[in-house]
C-alpha cells in the first residue's frame, strides 16, 4: 500500500495509517494484506471494455476492485495527497486534468495501428500523465494498470507486468513527473507482447 500524507482524516483511522474499511481492520499491515487478498480475487471480475476510456472508466474499475473493502470505492478523493516529495493533482482539479489526459489518448486514436515501438512510447507518455492525477485515496496503480492492459489489448497488444522491479517502477514514474518518459518506455518495451 502506498503511504500518503493527506490533509484530512476522512480516510484514516487516527494516527495508525490504516484506512477506514468495511472489515473493521485497524492495523496498517492487516489492511494491506486484506487489500492484496481481496484484489487478487476482484481483479478477475473486471470486465474488458474497449475505448473510449474516461475518468468514469477508472472509477468503475476502482469500484470493482475495492467495493468489498472501502465505502469510498470508485469515488474521487476529496483531499490532497503526496508521496515523498511528489505532490499529486489537487483534488479540485482531478476531473479537468483527467479529461485532458483522456482527450490526449483519444487524439492518439487510443493507440490503434501503432507498431510495438511507437506503442511503447505512447504507452509511457499516457501512463505517466494520469499517474500524476492519482484520483483515488488508494489503489491508483492497480486501477491504472488494469485500464492500460485494456488499452493495449484494444490495440492488439498484451502487457505482462510480472517482470518489473518495484524500484525500477518507482524511478520510471518519478521520471514521468519530470516529463522524462525514457525509463517508462523501456519498461513497456520489455513487458509488451511482441
Amino acid at each position: 500500500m502506498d503511504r500518503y500524507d493527506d490533509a484530512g482524516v476522512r480516510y484514516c483511522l487516527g494516527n495508525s495509517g490504516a484506512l477506514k474499511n468495511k472489515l473493521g481492520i485497524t492495523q496498517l499491515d492487516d489492511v494491506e494484506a486484506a487489500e492484496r487478498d481481496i484484489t487478487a480475487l476482484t481483479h478477475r471480475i473486471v470486465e474488458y471494455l474497449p475505448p473510449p476510456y474516461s475518468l468514469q472508466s477508472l472509477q468503475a474499475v476502482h469500484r470493482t476492485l475495492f467495493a468489498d473493502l472501502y465505502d469510498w470505492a470508485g469515488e474521487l478523493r476529496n483531499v490532497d495527497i503526496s508521496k515523498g516529495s511528489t505532490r499529486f493533482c489537487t483534488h479540485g482539479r482531478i476531473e479537468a486534468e483527467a479529461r485532458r489526459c483522456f482527450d490526449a489518448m483519444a487524439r492518439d486514436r487510443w493507440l490503434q495501428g501503432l507498431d510495438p515501438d511507437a506503442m511503447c512510447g505512447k504507452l509511457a507518455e499516457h501512463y505517466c500523465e494520469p499517474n500524476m492525477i492519482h484520483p483515488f485515496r488508494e489503489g491508483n496503480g492497480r486501477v491504472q494498470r488494469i485500464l492500460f492492459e485494456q488499452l493495449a489489448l484494444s490495440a492488439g497488444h498484451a502487457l505482462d507486468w510480472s517482470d518489473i522491479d518495484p524500484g525500477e517502477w518507482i524511478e520510471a514514474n518519478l521520471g514521468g513527473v519530470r516529463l522524462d518518459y525514457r525509463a517508462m518506455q523501456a519498461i513497456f518495451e520489455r513487458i509488451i507482447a511482441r
Side-chain angles (χ1 to χ4, degrees):
M1 178 180 294
D2 295 333
R3 289 178 174 82
Y4 297 112
D5 301 320
D6 67 42
V9 293
R10 171 183 182 212
Y11 299 101
C12 294
L13 294 167
N15 293 327
S16 71
L19 294 172
K20 294 177 183 174
N21 59 83
K22 293 180 177 183
L23 304 178
I25 301 170
T26 59
Q27 298 300 310
L28 177 61
D29 291 343
D30 296 336
V31 173
E32 290 175 348
E35 267 195 14
R36 281 190 302 274
D37 292 345
I38 288 170
T39 59
L41 298 172
T42 56
H43 89 275
R44 295 177 184 164
I45 61 172
V46 173
E47 292 185 34
Y48 166 78
L49 294 173
Y53 300 116
S54 65
L55 180 57
Q56 290 74 29
S57 305
L58 285 175
Q59 288 178 271
V61 172
H62 193 274
R63 192 173 303 107
T64 300
L65 285 181
F66 295 102
D68 292 338
L69 188 58
Y70 300 125
D71 287 328
W72 44 267
E75 294 178 13
L76 302 179
R77 64 180 161 82
N78 63 3
V79 295
D80 290 339
I81 59 174
S82 62
K83 186 174 182 182
S85 63
T86 302
R87 187 170 190 276
F88 295 105
C89 182
T90 301
H91 74 277
R93 294 280 311 155
I94 289 172
E95 292 183 56
E97 293 303 318
R99 189 169 33 259
R100 181 185 58 79
C101 290
F102 286 107
D103 286 350
M105 287 183 220
R107 282 191 301 278
D108 280 339
R109 298 178 47 242
W110 306 107
L111 313 187
Q112 300 291 314
L114 298 178
D115 64 57
D117 292 331
M119 175 85 167
C120 291
K122 285 297 183 179
L123 281 169
E125 176 185 338
H126 289 305
Y127 191 92
C128 290
E129 288 298 307
N131 186 52
M132 289 305 300
I133 297 170
H134 252 62
F136 311 107
R137 177 55 182 79
E138 178 58 38
N140 293 283
R142 283 166 277 198
V143 168
Q144 194 170 338
R145 282 189 297 275
I146 288 172
L147 188 78
F148 271 70
E149 286 173 10
Q150 294 188 4
L151 175 65
L153 281 172
S154 73
H157 302 279
L159 301 176
D160 178 1
W161 304 98
S162 64
D163 188 31
I164 299 175
D165 174 75
E168 172 191 30
W169 184 248
I170 290 169
E171 286 304 312
N173 279 284
L174 288 173
V177 172
R178 299 182 304 275
L179 305 180
D180 179 354
Y181 307 123
R182 291 174 294 182
M184 185 64 75
Q185 182 172 345
I187 289 174
F188 278 114
E189 287 170 354
R190 195 173 72 241
I191 70 169
I192 195 168
R194 295 187 178 262

